[in-house]
């Protein structure tokens, strides 16, 4: 059975070492709740459960920080969390929770980007930007058509008023 050979806490995070090697960085409160300390032995399944629970809090904090700069697509957030080394179960759980809270919505993201980019670019470029961000093709098409239809109506109204 794997044995915890070290737990180093710093700034609300705990770096956990199992059998002498770095195993994971998890939330310090989860490490304390689960009784992770030097000399404790846990089964592999139990270790995996601790990792998921401990990583979720850290991954959520990172995702919220990332979203604090600007709106992001689901894929952008997922990719960033994977780059930080979080497992698929953790990434999926965080993305699902962010969607439930209303922080992640690809349709809103697509409308926002289409509105912003349409000032400088045409529909093909805007659509390509959305696809590059990981927005579904149908969602991207709908946002671009909506934005450029509104711009066309505005242009027609301006020319009629002149």
């Amino acid at each position: 059975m794997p044995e915890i050979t070290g737990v180093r806490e710093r700034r609300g995070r705990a770096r956990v070492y199992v059998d002498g090697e770095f195993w994971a960085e998890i939330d310090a409160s989860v490490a304390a709740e689960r009784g992770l300390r030097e000399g404790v032995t846990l089964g592999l399944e139990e270790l995996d459960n601790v990792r998921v629970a401990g990583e979720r809090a850290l991954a959520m904090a990172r995702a919220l920080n990332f979203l604090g700069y600007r709106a992001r697509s689901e894929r952008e957030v997922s990719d960033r969390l994977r780059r930080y080394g979080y497992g698929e179960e953790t990434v999926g759980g965080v993305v699902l929770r962010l969607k439930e809270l209303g922080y992640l919505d690809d349709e809103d993201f697509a409308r926002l980007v289409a509105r912003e980019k349409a000032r400088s670019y045409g529909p093909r470029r805007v659509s390509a930007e959305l696809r590059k961000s990981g927005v579904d093709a149908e969602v991207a098409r709908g946002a671009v058509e909506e934005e450029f239809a509104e711009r066309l109506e505005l242009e027609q109204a301006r020319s009629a008023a002149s």
Side-chain angles (χ1 to χ4, degrees):
M1 289 223 354
E3 181 180 337
I4 297 176
T5 55
V7 178
R8 303 209 182 14
E9 290 185 31
R10 185 171 181 222
R11 296 183 185 165
R13 299 167 187 239
R15 292 180 62 87
V16 181
Y17 296 83
V18 174
D19 295 332
E21 294 188 20
F22 174 74
W23 171 70
E25 183 175 62
I26 63 173
D27 186 78
S29 62
V30 171
E33 286 172 12
R34 302 290 177 105
L36 297 185
R37 61 184 182 283
E38 203 168 316
V40 172
T41 57
L42 299 170
L44 293 175
E45 187 175 325
E46 197 173 354
L47 277 173
D48 285 340
N49 291 338
V50 169
R51 173 180 263 159
V52 169
E55 283 183 341
R56 187 164 286 158
L58 297 180
M60 180 64 84
R62 281 204 165 138
L64 289 171
N65 182 43
F66 185 53
L67 288 167
Y69 292 100
R70 69 169 175 83
R72 311 282 179 163
S73 70
E74 290 176 30
R75 192 180 87 197
E76 287 176 315
V77 172
S78 297
D79 288 350
R80 176 65 64 98
L81 291 175
R82 282 187 200 98
R83 269 188 264 144
Y84 278 115
Y86 296 112
E88 287 302 314
E89 191 173 346
T90 301
V91 170
V94 168
V95 167
L96 180 64
R97 183 66 179 141
L98 289 169
K99 287 170 66 174
E100 288 171 357
L101 294 171
Y103 291 121
L104 272 183
D105 184 341
D106 276 358
E107 290 180 13
D108 286 344
F109 172 76
R111 283 191 292 275
L112 178 74
V113 170
R115 189 175 316 117
E116 180 183 306
K117 299 283 184 184
R119 294 182 193 135
S120 305
Y121 305 112
R124 284 181 35 193
R125 171 87 180 257
V126 173
S127 184
E129 293 277 334
L130 288 169
R131 295 290 299 136
K132 183 179 171 187
S133 295
V135 175
D136 181 66
E138 282 298 313
V139 173
R141 186 177 313 115
V144 169
E145 286 174 0
E146 180 181 317
E147 182 60 32
F148 282 92
E150 288 176 14
R151 290 187 178 280
L152 182 61
E153 289 175 15
L154 182 61
E155 291 299 320
Q156 289 173 347
R158 281 187 182 148
S159 66
S162 301

